[in-house]
Each structure stands twice: as structure tokens, then as C-alpha cells.
């Protein structure tokens, strides 16, 4: 489930180009994994690259989470009301998903 507010600026907005560049590099790593399998590369070498790709995605997720906390959650805290509870709940669930992965 995603939550979007009409016309909202998200926490990652200022670094959107950097994030897209980073995701393209990760995408390249995944294509590299496909190529390794296609070329019958040694299993352990593939697993090493899987680990690197996983770490890159986790690092991206943590940066995005930090931006969410600094922007979206902090903004909700300033506004007050029930929105802060909603944003904290969303962040808590996102952290739980990251920990399970």
C-alpha cells in the first residue's frame, strides 16, 4: 500500500537525480548477475555479486528511510494531530519490512 498526497513533495525530492543514478547502477549490477548466470560463472562468484547487490539496495533503502523521517515525519510532527501517528506507524512498518529482508 502506498500513500500519496496530491501535490506533496517527498523527502527524496531534492536528491531524486542522485537516487535515480544509484538505482541505475544497481540495475546494472542485476543485469551483470543475469550475464554471469548466462555465462555459467562459478556459483560463489555469483553469490558474491548477489551480496553486493543486496547491500546496495539496503543502503538505498536506509537513505530513503532517513529522508522520510527527516522530511515527512518531521513535517507531520510540526503540523500535529493524528498525522504524526500515521507517519510514525508507516515508518515503523517500513523498518520492520527492512529488518525481515
Amino acid at each position: 500500500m502506498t500513500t500519496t498526497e496530491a501535490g506533496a513533495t517527498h523527502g527524496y525530492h531534492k536528491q531524486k537525480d542522485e537516487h535515480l543514478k544509484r538505482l541505475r547502477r544497481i540495475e546494472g549490477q542485476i543485469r551483470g548477475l543475469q550475464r554471469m548466470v548466462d555465462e555459467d560463472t562459478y556459483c560463489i562468484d555469483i553469490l558474491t555479486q548477489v551480496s553486493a547487490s543486496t547491500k546496495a539496495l539496503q543502503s538505498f533503502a536506509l537513505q530513503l528511510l532517513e529522508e522520510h523521517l527527516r522530511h515527512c515525519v518531521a513535517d507531520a510532527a510540526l503540523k500535529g494531530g493524528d498525522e504524526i501517528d500515521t507517519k510514525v506507524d508507516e515508518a515503523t512498518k517500513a523498518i520492520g519490512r527492512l529488518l525481515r529482508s
Side-chain angles (χ1 to χ4, degrees):
M1 180 172 124
T2 58
T3 312
T4 308
E5 299 163 17
T9 300
H10 301 290
Y12 60 84
H13 180 74
K14 291 180 182 177
Q15 296 184 352
K16 187 175 181 176
D17 290 338
E18 291 175 36
H19 288 321
L20 290 171
K21 182 192 275 187
R22 192 171 187 187
L23 288 169
R24 285 185 197 102
R25 279 196 306 269
I26 294 169
E27 180 182 23
Q29 287 179 295
I30 302 305
R31 281 194 306 272
L33 284 166
Q34 293 170 334
R35 187 174 53 254
M36 291 173 82
V37 170
D38 187 49
E39 295 172 355
D40 294 321
T41 302
Y42 184 57
C43 302
I44 297 302
D45 294 338
I46 295 171
L47 289 170
T48 299
Q49 290 305 315
V50 167
S51 177
S53 299
T54 301
K55 184 174 180 180
L57 273 174
Q58 289 172 336
S59 176
F60 173 75
L62 284 174
Q63 184 174 2
L64 201 59
L65 178 62
E66 178 183 357
E67 290 166 359
H68 176 70
L69 293 171
R70 290 185 185 277
H71 180 269
C72 303
V73 175
D75 186 56
L78 289 174
K79 290 178 182 174
D82 293 338
E83 189 174 351
I84 184 63
D85 293 332
T86 301
K87 294 296 181 186
V88 169
D89 188 50
E90 287 175 348
T92 301
K93 288 177 182 175
I95 292 166
R97 287 190 299 272
L98 287 172
L99 290 174
R100 286 191 295 273
S101 62

